Amino acid sequence: MTQEDWVAMTVTVQLAALTSAILLAACLPLAWRLSRSQSRWRPVIEAVLALPLVLPPTVLGFYLLVLLNPDAFLGGLWFTLTGDALTFTFSGLVIASVIYSLPFMMQPLLGAFDTIEEETLEAAASLGCGARERFFAVVLPTSQRAIVAASLLTFAHTIGEFGVVLMMGGNIPGETRVISVVMFEQVETLQYSGAHQLAAALLLFSFLLLLLVYGVYRPSRRRAV
Amino acid sequence: MTRRPWAYMVSRFFLLALFLFSATLSAQTATIAVAANFAATAQKIADKLSEESEFDFKIVVGATGLLIAQWRHGAPFDVLLAADRSRPQTLQEAGYVCADCIKPYARGFLSLWIPRSPQLLLPEPDLAALDVHHLAVANARLAPYGVAARVVMDGAWGKDQAKQVQIVEANDVGAAYSLVASGAAQAGLVALSSLQDERVSTDQYWTIDPRSYPAIEQWSVLFPRGEANAAARYWFEQMQLEPVRAIIRDAGYAVVEE
Amino acid sequence: MDRLHCALSLQKGAFDLAVDLSIAGSGVTGIWGPNGAGKSTLLRAIAGLERRVAGRIMWQDRCWLDSDHGVSMPVEKRPVGIVFQDARLFSFTDVRGNLEFAHRRAFAHHNGMPFQQVLRTLRLEHLLDRNVASLSGGERQRVAIARAILRRPQLLLLDEPLAAIDVNQKAEFVDVFRQLTQQLHLPVLYVTHSLDEISVLADELIILDDGRVSAHDKTQQAVLRIDVPVLQRRDDAVSILDAKVAFHDPAMRLSHLLVDNEPLLVPIITAAPGERVRLLVHARDVALSRALQTGLSIRNQLPALIESISDHPDATYADIILSIGEHRLTSRITRAACRDLDLREGEAVYALVKSVSVTQRHLSLPVSF
């Protein structure tokens, strides 16, 4: 790997890490609220939050281009707040990744939270836990495996992000040039050995990550005594 | 103008699963793999040639490198209309295609496009005076348009750019066009052919002096499979002859005299 | 002495509950009734787990609920400890973790049993590092009780704690529970659908039927309330006697008890001489005789006075309530026998007690002989 490739790798890992952190912070309360909700709007909200799963990445990229433009509303807002454009920046990419990887954080969390019974929460309340404490002292520990799995999945998914970045990244080294685009370029320019190497490295990395998700964090068989 | 980027995107990712049933195609049909930036023109050529002959043509659009990779692994392409010269030459030097099986078919031109140009009122393109947030170009690693753009930019700003303008790369010149069309980039060095295709008002763009950048030549490749296909040979030959060349010129390219 | 005052009503679907109770602030108060009577609902309402409860709940000088003034203390603030039917231990930690969870959140200014003592009393020392899922039903409930107590509540609420425990473990549970109540001096509300269970454990009994209180009395008196429809519907009646251990006869495997100075023989029990024991007697196991019998296998013949005769024309049986000193005993005999013996209120007779339920280990579920 060249110096350039390492820079791209760094950008990619930073993007994945930041995206996962933001999604974790945002989705924990959101998934909890949604899980406890009895509202008839829940299926609608769930469907909306799952949209990035089925939306073609290029469509997503395109719409983000349009929305995050300094001339458009959202992009303009950012511009007035920070003095920077949002398009073709790392920040813009983070926003895109957050939307693109949202279902990968949301779905496992929602699934885990749905399995938490009211009875357990009543028991916690009877031991003196208010609503916030019930969440931190009972819900989170109970769901820790799902939380770790969701985070790792989100991270891995963002590492592999391509279509969105291609559409709206701008391929700026050190800023929006990610490893998946590097690989694409290598294939495009018929540099197959480089592409093979990079692909193998990414494959290994993702595999190890997923092994972590499914292996170490599989619910341990309760040992019968 | 804003609806066309859709077509570009859709056509770009129009994958090859389509012609997996090419087994049913007879020797009267040829499969032509086309680089995205030439797709629209290729379709016009296909329409014309099938009118004038008993042949049929299937157009498959994609990124040149991907199309080649697919072909290497068995995709049933008869002809490739590449976006550059170097890759067809590489194929020939490596012995994958015969000596006469690569020919230039078009020469592209670079234009500076600034859709909201009224503020600029430049009689001539002066990149050094350009003051926008983002300038979209094609990726120089992947497309000759990108190489040309780099040369032009280096000429305007010197090797270390003044950086009042941020350069953003799209993976090909069509994507660069989309970036400008969507408003994400305020200006771009794009293909003249796209501007003409989309009937963009001529007061929004300037053609850069072709002498200031290396010629953007696009070459075609006749694959071994195509050599045995009458329709493919017909296409390959017709690309060098007048009716087709007129279409190519109309589209904003020049033809290359070898 | 503090009492828990609750006057409340609530509606749940087709069911509605309306009670006005003053519950003792010490000892064990049982809440008994058939399924669907509203026992658990009442307990949950007192705990604060039910919504839309109207009325007032007062404990000491704190108001837990006053719906007229919009006051409703959330469950996490009420000084109650709750033991649920399904234990509800936290699965993300082990037994020690569950206990420490409660211990960390104990009411600071309340008195409570020290951690080690709780472990000893509830026999949990060897279970501390066990995984919650590997515990048996009885073990799980003991951990649940320990957890509830470690929070230092002022009131302990138990909702059918024995329901999910198999027969073999019930004995140990009741044993442990009884020791606990003796050491803890905490008022306990105990919900159960088993009259046998509650009769030996509770000092006072509240009988709930279809959302209303049918009786609220000392246990011995409450079980004799044959006017209470839900007791009438049972196919047997019970009586509760308090006896004192006089001495044991190891050779014959018998224990001699005294019920109001009258001797009573039971299978040998572990209680020491001088200790008090609670006995459960089923009415159908009590026969009557005008005179002391000899040549009879039944050993226990207690002199008694007939207090009342309940004799319905449509029934096969009649229930005779007898008094033996301070105690009351119900005898169920056929109406035919009642008529033939010409029994009248105030007469002296002998109660022949064939079978007495006592505990094997001081007080657990009945094993009769």
Side-chain angles (χ1 to χ4, degrees):
Chain A
M1 274 175 63
T2 67
Q3 168 68 13
E4 277 189 343
D5 293 346
W6 278 114
V7 171
M9 196 69 203
T10 310
V11 171
T12 311
V13 171
Q14 283 175 346
L15 180 65
L18 191 55
T19 302
S20 305
I22 293 174
L23 278 174
L24 191 62
C27 287
L28 275 176
L30 187 60
W32 180 241
R33 281 282 189 75
L34 201 57
S35 168
R36 296 296 111 176
S37 155
Q38 316 270 32
S39 158
R40 64 193 139 94
W41 290 107
R42 179 171 160 171
V44 175
I45 297 176
E46 277 192 72
V48 168
L49 292 174
L51 268 179
L53 275 175
V54 295
L55 215 54
T58 38
V59 172
L60 184 62
F62 180 69
Y63 277 124
L64 282 168
L65 267 186
V66 171
L67 286 172
L68 300 181
N69 213 320
D71 296 330
F73 173 66
L74 284 174
L77 198 61
W78 183 274
F79 189 70
T80 43
L81 287 176
T82 64
D84 277 329
L86 205 49
T87 42
F88 311 119
T89 58
F90 186 75
S91 314
L93 220 51
V94 170
I95 293 178
S97 303
V98 163
I99 297 174
Y100 171 73
S101 296
L102 175 66
F104 285 77
M105 180 66 76
M106 201 59 196
Q107 309 248 1
L109 289 183
L110 199 53
F113 289 165
D114 276 344
T115 63
I116 295 183
E117 296 163 335
E118 271 311 303
E119 283 83 5
T120 312
L121 299 171
E122 280 185 356
S126 78
L127 293 169
C129 296
R132 172 169 275 157
E133 211 185 347
R134 290 200 286 272
F135 183 73
F136 286 102
V138 177
V139 175
L140 289 189
T142 307
S143 319
Q144 59 190 10
R145 290 191 186 95
I147 292 174
V148 173
S151 306
L152 289 177
L153 275 173
T154 304
F155 187 84
H157 189 242
T158 310
I159 294 269
E161 191 176 329
F162 177 68
V164 182
V165 181
L166 199 64
M167 261 318 279
M168 44 107 41
N171 207 26
I172 300 166
E175 181 89 11
T176 62
R177 186 170 155 74
V178 296
I179 205 72
S180 52
V181 174
V182 172
M183 250 185 72
F184 173 73
E185 285 174 359
Q186 284 174 335
V187 171
E188 262 302 280
T189 52
L190 316 185
Q191 293 173 49
Y192 294 133
S193 68
H196 279 316
Q197 279 174 22
L198 217 44
L202 271 179
L203 197 64
L204 189 63
F205 179 71
S206 309
F207 179 70
L208 288 175
L209 218 53
L210 288 173
L211 200 61
L212 210 61
V213 171
Y214 288 111
V216 175
Y217 286 94
R218 171 133 274 187
S220 52
R221 300 277 156 233
R222 298 273 161 79
R223 272 167 261 109
V225 169
Chain B
M1 169 182 94
T2 49
R3 231 175 282 138
R4 256 309 198 131
W6 272 104
Y8 269 84
M9 286 187 298
V10 169
S11 64
R12 181 169 304 122
F13 292 97
F14 182 43
L15 283 178
L16 338 165
L18 284 201
F19 56 77
L20 282 177
F21 52 80
S22 62
T24 64
L25 298 178
S26 65
Q28 302 295 338
T29 313
T31 307
I32 317 291
V34 181
N37 67 46
F38 200 71
T41 315
Q43 190 57 61
K44 291 196 192 110
I45 297 174
D47 292 339
K48 175 97 174 148
L49 290 183
S50 45
E51 232 179 73
E52 307 214 322
S53 71
E54 73 272 30
F55 298 123
D56 273 324
F57 303 97
K58 244 183 156 35
I59 306 290
V60 173
V61 181
T64 303
L66 285 183
L67 292 170
I68 292 177
Q70 284 154 2
W71 167 75
R72 287 273 300 274
H73 291 93
F77 301 148
D78 296 306
V79 174
L80 170 69
L81 300 182
D84 64 349
R85 173 183 181 156
S86 67
R87 280 173 289 195
Q89 280 193 330
T90 308
L91 286 180
Q92 189 195 63
E93 281 157 20
Y96 288 114
V97 297
C98 76
D100 287 325
C101 293
I102 64 168
K103 287 193 200 305
Y105 66 90
R107 183 177 167 190
F109 296 102
L110 203 61
S111 298
L112 172 66
W113 180 29
I114 310 170
R116 291 166 189 76
S117 63
Q119 310 122 297
L120 291 169
L121 295 173
L122 303 168
E124 253 184 36
D126 182 1
L127 273 176
L130 196 60
D131 182 16
V132 293
H133 290 297
H134 299 111
L135 178 71
V137 301
N139 187 332
R141 290 179 198 78
L142 304 180
Y145 281 99
V147 173
R150 285 279 160 197
V151 168
V152 167
M153 290 188 303
D154 287 345
W157 290 310
K159 276 285 180 186
D160 27 45
Q161 297 164 243
K163 293 284 186 183
Q164 78 232 49
V165 176
Q166 165 105 81
I167 306 299
V168 292
E169 283 182 354
N171 65 305
D172 66 27
V173 74
Y177 180 94
S178 302
L179 285 181
V180 183
S182 68
Q186 294 76 32
L189 286 169
V190 297
L192 177 64
S193 53
S194 339
L195 294 166
Q196 287 193 334
D197 236 356
E198 297 297 329
R199 306 200 208 302
V200 173
S201 153
T202 48
D203 62 3
Q204 287 181 15
Y205 63 90
W206 299 263
T207 309
I208 310 274
D209 182 356
R211 293 165 301 182
S212 63
Y213 56 84
I216 301 169
E217 287 185 3
Q218 303 193 214
W219 283 49
S220 56
V221 180
L222 181 63
F223 289 125
R225 193 190 129 112
E227 289 184 76
N229 182 324
R233 284 196 312 270
Y234 179 73
W235 175 289
F236 194 65
E237 282 151 25
Q238 290 297 315
M239 290 286 290
Q240 307 296 320
L241 300 176
E242 251 327 297
V244 173
R245 288 190 153 191
I247 297 177
I248 295 177
R249 262 186 245 111
D250 273 339
Y253 298 91
V255 292
V256 180
E257 312 302 336
E258 247 189 313
Chain C
M1 170 54 61
D2 290 314
R3 296 183 75 84
L4 177 73
H5 300 280
C6 47
L8 47 89
S9 64
L10 70 88
Q11 185 120 13
K12 255 177 133 170
F15 169 79
D16 79 292
L17 177 76
V19 303
D20 189 346
L21 290 165
S22 172
I23 302 176
S26 67
V28 178
T29 301
I31 302 178
W32 174 79
N35 284 327
K39 313 185 288 296
S40 289
T41 309
L42 174 59
L43 199 76
R44 287 170 59 88
I46 291 172
L49 292 171
E50 290 290 335
R51 301 167 192 263
R52 288 192 284 271
V53 181
R56 292 188 72 200
I57 303 178
M58 295 275 307
W59 167 252
Q60 298 182 341
D61 52 352
R62 302 294 304 279
C63 177
W64 291 359
L65 176 73
D66 188 348
S67 57
D68 290 334
H69 296 101
V71 174
S72 174
M73 194 188 280
V75 52
E76 51 264 21
K77 298 234 171 54
R78 300 191 191 189
V80 296
I82 310 179
V83 180
F84 297 93
Q85 182 174 329
D86 47 358
R88 302 191 192 176
L89 301 181
F90 298 133
S91 56
F92 57 83
T93 181
D94 55 14
V95 169
R96 186 194 302 271
N98 269 273
L99 298 181
E100 285 177 354
F101 190 99
H103 196 47
R104 276 198 296 270
R105 291 168 175 80
F107 287 98
H109 45 281
H110 294 180
N111 292 328
M113 200 186 265
F115 194 89
Q116 286 302 324
Q117 194 182 344
V118 171
L119 292 183
R120 262 199 315 274
T121 312
L122 286 158
R123 308 187 195 162
L124 299 177
E125 296 102 318
H126 60 290
L127 292 178
L128 279 179
D129 294 312
R130 287 272 293 276
N131 199 304
V132 160
S134 65
L135 298 174
S136 69
E139 290 169 335
R140 213 174 293 178
Q141 279 296 30
R142 300 209 310 271
V143 175
I145 297 182
R147 190 177 68 171
I149 296 173
L150 281 169
R151 197 187 167 219
R152 305 199 170 183
Q154 290 175 331
L155 201 63
L156 191 62
L157 309 179
L158 294 103
D159 191 354
E160 310 238 26
L162 283 176
I165 301 180
D166 61 42
V167 178
N168 313 333
Q169 300 193 359
K170 284 195 209 238
E172 179 168 23
F173 177 90
V174 175
D175 204 13
V176 160
F177 181 77
R178 193 69 185 171
Q179 283 182 27
L180 187 68
T181 51
Q182 283 167 355
Q183 290 181 38
L184 205 50
H185 307 296
L186 211 54
V188 177
L189 281 182
Y190 190 118
V191 164
T192 177
H193 63 273
S194 160
L195 190 59
D196 289 355
E197 188 181 312
I198 201 60
S199 308
V200 296
L201 289 175
D203 303 311
E204 284 188 18
L205 191 59
I206 296 171
I207 300 181
L208 214 57
D209 189 14
D210 202 22
R212 302 286 185 277
V213 174
S214 297
H216 180 190
D217 211 336
K218 288 219 162 321
T219 312
Q220 289 98 311
Q221 326 297 10
V223 296
L224 294 173
R225 292 280 302 276
I226 50 181
D227 57 307
V228 168
V230 74
L231 281 173
Q232 278 174 9
R233 290 202 291 274
R234 288 172 56 88
D235 57 4
D236 65 1
V238 296
S239 312
I240 294 178
L241 302 174
D242 281 324
K244 199 159 77 163
V245 180
F247 59 93
H248 300 295
D249 182 355
M252 295 308 287
R253 315 278 311 147
L254 290 174
S255 292
H256 292 246
L257 309 179
L258 286 174
V259 173
D260 208 54
N261 292 321
E262 288 297 329
L264 194 70
L265 278 177
V266 296
I268 194 158
I269 59 176
T270 57
E275 267 192 68
R276 301 208 75 86
V277 198
R278 183 176 282 191
L279 308 174
L280 194 70
V281 183
H282 286 266
R284 60 177 189 266
D285 291 334
V286 180
L288 295 181
S289 165
R290 281 214 175 275
L292 207 53
Q293 299 292 326
T294 56
L296 199 58
S297 67
I298 296 177
R299 297 285 82 191
N300 295 315
Q301 303 188 38
L302 301 167
L305 285 175
I306 295 182
E307 206 178 88
S308 68
I309 300 176
S310 145
D311 180 356
H312 293 279
D314 293 331
T316 312
Y317 295 101
D319 283 337
I320 321 284
I321 299 200
L322 309 162
S323 65
I324 304 175
E326 298 281 308
H327 295 87
R328 316 256 279 305
L329 191 63
T330 310
S331 164
R332 183 168 283 185
I333 59 177
T334 59
R335 281 178 57 235
C338 187
R339 193 194 52 199
D340 289 348
L341 286 172
D342 197 22
L343 297 173
R344 288 178 202 284
E345 292 182 11
E347 290 186 334
V349 290
Y350 282 90
L352 278 54
V353 184
K354 174 152 194 342
S355 179
V356 174
S357 300
V358 272
T359 64
Q360 267 302 88
R361 273 167 14 210
H362 201 114
L363 272 164
S364 66
L365 273 231
V367 170
S368 50
F369 88 120

